[in-house]
Amino acid sequence: MMMTEDISKIVELLQSHGIRITPQRLTIIQTMMKLDHPTAEEIHDELENVYINISIATVYNTIRSLKEIGLVREINCGEGCTRFEIIDDSHYHLICKQCGRIDDIHFETDIDFAAIASASGFDFKEENIEIYGLCPQCKN
Ligand SMILES: [Zn+2]
Ligand SMILES: [Zn+2]
């Protein structure tokens, strides 16, 4: 989970990429930080709950531009299911194929993506590790 103070770092990141800081963008970012791996619809619903009127299209567009600058990670949680998170620390995901639950997993040693990129010759754009299975509840 990201702390609210980190919002100033996020603002710097947006500015360094020439993205205008609008109240709508900041509200969407703060809502994403509050929710646990939300879908775009969940972000939109949460905004409605607190009487903030931002269209679902704006939510999607904002997520897309935040993803482009590496602030947001997209998580594929099964058929037609896409969840998002603000990238804070390096962690990866265990995803339940039945109920869609997502748990964060941390590796003791950070994966050296730069080394993998140079060995493979790939220019990495996104670095995700997703492991699919059944959570303890669905297993029983
Ligand atoms: Zn499950
Ligand atoms: Zn996560």
Side-chain angles (χ1 to χ4, degrees):
M1 268 294 168
M2 199 177 242
M3 298 290 147
T4 319
E5 304 87 72
D6 291 337
I7 198 81
S8 60
K9 273 192 240 159
I10 292 175
V11 167
E12 274 174 35
L13 181 73
L14 296 180
Q15 282 169 336
S16 75
H17 285 87
I19 294 182
R20 220 155 50 83
I21 318 294
T22 63
Q24 284 196 336
R25 288 197 176 120
L26 284 182
T27 304
I28 291 170
I29 291 168
Q30 277 164 330
T31 305
M32 290 182 79
M33 287 174 3
K34 198 165 72 177
L35 300 171
D36 183 29
H37 305 111
T39 62
E41 290 78 11
E42 283 169 357
I43 297 166
H44 186 249
D45 288 349
E46 177 63 22
L47 293 169
E48 283 198 329
N49 284 342
V50 292
Y51 307 105
I52 296 172
N53 186 22
I54 297 179
S55 71
I56 187 84
T58 302
V59 172
Y60 273 113
N61 290 337
T62 302
I63 291 172
R64 194 185 316 124
S65 54
L66 298 177
K67 213 188 118 188
E68 272 165 19
I69 64 165
L71 180 64
V72 162
R73 177 185 288 132
E74 183 176 319
I75 305 154
N76 174 359
C77 46
E79 275 167 59
C81 169
T82 307
R83 295 184 168 276
F84 302 95
E85 72 183 348
I86 302 285
I87 299 174
D88 44 5
D89 56 354
S90 61
H91 71 259
Y92 306 98
H93 296 107
L94 299 178
I95 299 164
C96 179
K97 291 198 79 130
Q98 197 153 310
C99 69
R101 165 176 160 180
I102 299 181
D103 285 7
D104 287 342
I105 43 165
H106 293 84
F107 294 143
E108 251 163 63
T109 317
D110 280 348
I111 296 170
D112 189 350
F113 284 110
I116 302 169
S118 77
S120 65
F122 270 65
D123 190 4
F124 288 0
K125 301 286 185 207
E126 266 181 80
E127 292 142 2
N128 290 348
I129 295 181
E130 290 159 3
I131 300 166
Y132 297 90
L134 290 176
C135 75
Q137 273 85 47
C138 294
K139 210 167 58 177
N140 294 324

